[in-house]
Amino acid sequence: YLRKIHILLEHVDALHTTDPKILRYKGEALFFRAYQYFKLLNRFGDVPLVTHSLDIDSPELFMERTPRKEEEDAILQDLYDASLLLPKKSEMAVAETGRITSGAAVAFRARVALYAGTWAINHKHRSDGLALLGIAKECARQLIFDKPEYDLYYEASLGADSYRKLFLEDGDNSCESILDYQYAKNMKGTFHDMADKVSAGYLLATKKFADMFLDKNGVPIDNVETCFQGYESVQSEYEDRDPRMTCVLQVPGRKYIYVSQHGVATECPVSFMGICSTNTGYRVWKYISELPDIYHVGAYYNAHIIRFAEVLLIYAEATYELEGEISDNDLNNSINRIRKRVGMPDLTNEFVTKYGLDMREEIRRERTIELAFEGFRRDDLRRWKTAETELIGAIKGIKLKGSEYENLDVLNEGNPGLTDENGFLIVEPAENRNFVTPKHYYYSLPLDELYLNPNLAPNNPGW
């Protein structure tokens, strides 16, 4: 990918043109160079930073790894330069839907700056983390306040279910879409398989995740003031909760339209066996289309790469991390817009004080819930440097003993039904899980690359 991008950039630069139609391609190429390098940075940390196409005798083939700081700065610069060459969403023809916009470059720059800034503060690889957070906040601010072109997807007829519909056909290229991966029906190869992955049980929710959903009043379920209904019945823990819980997770016993039932409403099984398999007892509902002709072959709705809700969350987090606090006005312009979509009460400083909460943790909770199963969580835990505490301990599921589940035949074949002292299902025992610091904050460099270029050594810490 990078080689093709560099060839395009070199040809455009050789033209010495001011033609905006040609320079638009340069902007797109700069965006994708930043996108590809961020993937490498995220995975490996320091990698060789190459900015032109290579040949078989190029000395860069044997160059050392570029320090992470230089990579981050190069990515941010590419995205800034791209934003100046790309059109706004409002300037594009309908036929161009899916191409990169200036807004996508600004939003992705906000994502990268937040990642780099919080990594710097928590991992200490550079001393200007606050400056990076300032870039993240400013980019988000531009998209929120400066002639905004994006908004949260909401249909009054759907109410809180607008959140779930956003990830199906209804949300394709909606006002919330900053960058969508385009899929279309009746075009070979243009579908993705999220519905299949979810229904086959590849995406599983845990007790820890389910417990993160607040009650309907915005209070954590372990708070003495909560209206949480407990775990005693199959459906009780889903009652009086943040409506996004039942947009993301299926409730056993309720009727849904399953992809494998060809559009016929059927009851979500209480058993862990059969359709929508699960080892934890929690079934993911996000991404499951209700169209009758989608059945284990993929879905035709778009995949959201960047959406406006993420920008609002970046603004809130960057503001808090920069200042150590966040005003109610800034909360209203960010997190509370997201909460209003599903009818949840506002997050305010008074509320946090009243219930003895921690504002940073509530901002992070909101990000986890809103962006669930969109590929952010592990990276968030790494940049916050909390993976060493969050990714250890037993993986648990529903309350099996002492609840309605105990008298039902619910377990998959081979599941011994081990529970903890409180009756919660243990899916993976603590002794099978570990997180070594700093090793597991990085991936190993590919060993064949180290063999081909010894100058890449040493490998990442612990590998």
Side-chain angles (χ1 to χ4, degrees):
Y1 290 125
L2 286 168
R3 177 173 171 77
K4 292 177 180 179
I5 289 166
H6 288 143
I7 290 173
L8 186 151
L9 289 171
E10 288 159 6
H11 279 73
V12 172
D13 288 344
L15 294 175
H16 301 290
T17 183
T18 58
D19 186 339
K21 292 182 179 179
I22 297 177
L23 292 178
R24 179 180 180 182
Y25 288 104
K26 179 176 181 177
E28 291 175 330
L30 289 171
F31 176 91
F32 282 113
R33 182 165 71 178
Y35 190 89
Q36 293 297 334
Y37 259 112
F38 184 62
K39 289 172 67 175
L40 292 170
L41 168 74
N42 188 2
R43 191 169 183 85
F44 302 117
D46 300 351
V47 297
L49 180 63
V50 179
T51 56
H52 59 274
S53 59
L54 304 183
D55 208 336
I56 58 173
D57 56 356
S58 297
E60 291 87 352
L61 293 172
F62 299 97
M63 70 185 290
E64 297 179 353
R65 299 163 73 183
T66 304
R68 186 186 189 107
K69 178 182 183 301
E70 293 181 35
E71 293 174 58
E72 292 166 346
D73 291 343
I75 292 169
L76 292 171
Q77 186 63 51
D78 274 354
L79 291 169
Y80 176 77
D81 294 341
S83 70
L84 302 180
L85 299 173
L86 294 167
K88 295 181 178 180
K89 180 180 180 180
S90 57
E91 298 170 342
M92 290 174 56
V94 174
E96 296 178 312
T97 299
R99 290 186 67 175
I100 309 301
T101 63
S102 175
V106 173
F108 193 62
R109 191 166 187 251
R111 180 190 292 182
V112 173
L114 181 74
Y115 182 93
T118 50
W119 193 286
I121 290 170
N122 295 310
H123 294 268
K124 314 298 183 186
H125 75 293
R126 58 190 296 177
S127 60
D128 58 346
L130 292 179
L132 293 169
L133 291 176
I135 294 174
K137 181 177 179 179
E138 173 57 23
C139 289
R141 187 201 64 77
Q142 292 175 27
L143 296 174
I144 297 170
F145 297 103
D146 293 354
K147 297 181 180 179
E149 295 190 303
Y150 307 98
D151 200 354
L152 297 176
Y153 171 75
Y154 180 80
E155 295 290 344
S157 60
L158 297 173
D161 205 39
S162 297
Y163 173 78
R164 194 180 75 82
K165 293 287 188 177
L166 169 66
F167 302 96
L168 305 179
E169 297 80 5
D170 308 65
D172 283 2
N173 302 312
S174 70
C175 58
E176 189 164 343
S177 300
I178 297 178
L179 180 61
D180 275 8
Y181 195 114
Q182 304 290 312
Y183 293 94
K185 190 174 181 180
N186 297 326
M187 293 181 65
K188 184 178 180 180
T190 57
F191 59 80
H192 64 90
D193 60 354
M194 286 303 293
D196 189 23
K197 288 184 181 298
V198 171
S199 59
Y202 289 110
L203 296 181
L204 293 176
T206 65
K207 176 185 182 294
K208 178 185 284 188
F209 172 67
D211 285 350
M212 291 187 74
F213 287 95
L214 301 167
D215 73 17
K216 66 179 182 180
N217 298 320
V219 179
I221 65 170
D222 59 356
N223 191 286
V224 294
E225 300 293 331
T226 186
C227 64
F228 177 52
Q229 297 298 309
Y231 305 97
E232 282 62 40
S233 78
V234 169
Q235 297 187 1
S236 58
E237 70 173 296
Y238 299 92
E239 297 171 356
D240 296 331
R241 302 290 290 275
D242 181 332
R244 285 173 294 186
M245 185 175 190
T246 51
C247 289
V248 175
L249 302 177
Q250 293 178 312
V251 182
R254 293 188 183 175
K255 284 193 176 296
Y256 296 91
I257 297 177
Y258 282 108
V259 290
S260 59
Q261 297 298 320
H262 302 285
V264 178
T266 186
E267 191 175 282
C268 176
V270 176
S271 169
F272 295 6
M273 297 173 285
I275 188 170
C276 198
S277 302
T278 172
N279 290 331
T280 64
Y282 296 105
R283 293 176 173 83
V284 178
W285 180 230
K286 193 171 182 176
Y287 300 114
I288 295 290
S289 175
E290 297 179 354
L291 292 185
D293 56 346
I294 296 178
Y295 173 55
H296 292 303
V297 294
Y300 304 102
Y301 45 79
N302 291 346
H304 302 305
I305 307 301
I306 310 173
R307 61 186 181 94
F308 186 59
E310 182 196 349
V311 172
L312 297 175
L313 291 163
I314 290 172
Y315 183 82
E317 183 179 347
T319 297
Y320 182 84
E321 297 299 336
L322 272 168
E323 304 169 12
E325 60 182 9
I326 183 170
S327 69
D328 287 349
N329 185 57
D330 279 331
L331 287 169
N332 288 337
N333 284 312
S334 56
I335 283 178
N336 291 334
R337 290 180 65 177
I338 296 172
R339 287 187 168 203
K340 279 182 170 62
R341 166 160 56 189
V342 293
M344 283 291 286
D346 288 347
L347 176 65
T348 66
N349 284 279
E350 180 183 3
F351 188 92
V352 166
T353 300
K354 177 180 178 181
Y355 291 99
L357 308 179
D358 180 275
M359 182 62 80
R360 173 184 280 131
E361 291 305 310
E362 293 311 304
I363 291 172
R364 291 180 176 181
R365 181 202 302 272
E366 191 67 30
R367 180 179 174 87
T368 302
I369 294 302
E370 176 66 24
L371 302 179
F373 298 105
E374 295 179 50
F376 291 95
R377 179 62 172 169
R378 189 175 189 276
D379 293 340
D380 286 344
L381 295 179
R382 291 168 62 226
R383 66 184 177 87
W384 294 333
K385 206 175 183 296
T386 58
E388 59 208 60
T389 57
E390 292 286 349
L391 295 182
I392 61 174
I395 295 178
K396 298 181 181 180
I398 51 91
K399 185 176 177 66
L400 183 63
K401 293 186 177 179
S403 75
E404 186 180 358
Y405 281 107
E406 188 170 13
N407 298 318
L408 300 171
D409 183 20
V410 297
L411 297 177
N412 277 324
E413 183 178 353
N415 191 327
L418 298 177
T419 59
D420 67 8
E421 65 277 10
N422 296 311
F424 290 97
L425 186 66
I426 298 177
V427 177
E428 188 75 26
E431 56 266 27
N432 290 356
R433 305 185 73 225
N434 68 84
F435 190 94
V436 179
T437 302
K439 177 180 180 179
H440 290 151
Y441 279 103
Y442 304 89
Y443 289 81
S444 171
L445 295 183
L447 297 185
D448 56 350
E449 295 295 334
L450 284 166
Y451 174 78
L452 289 168
N453 178 13
N455 293 324
L456 294 175
N459 205 336
N460 282 327
W463 294 98

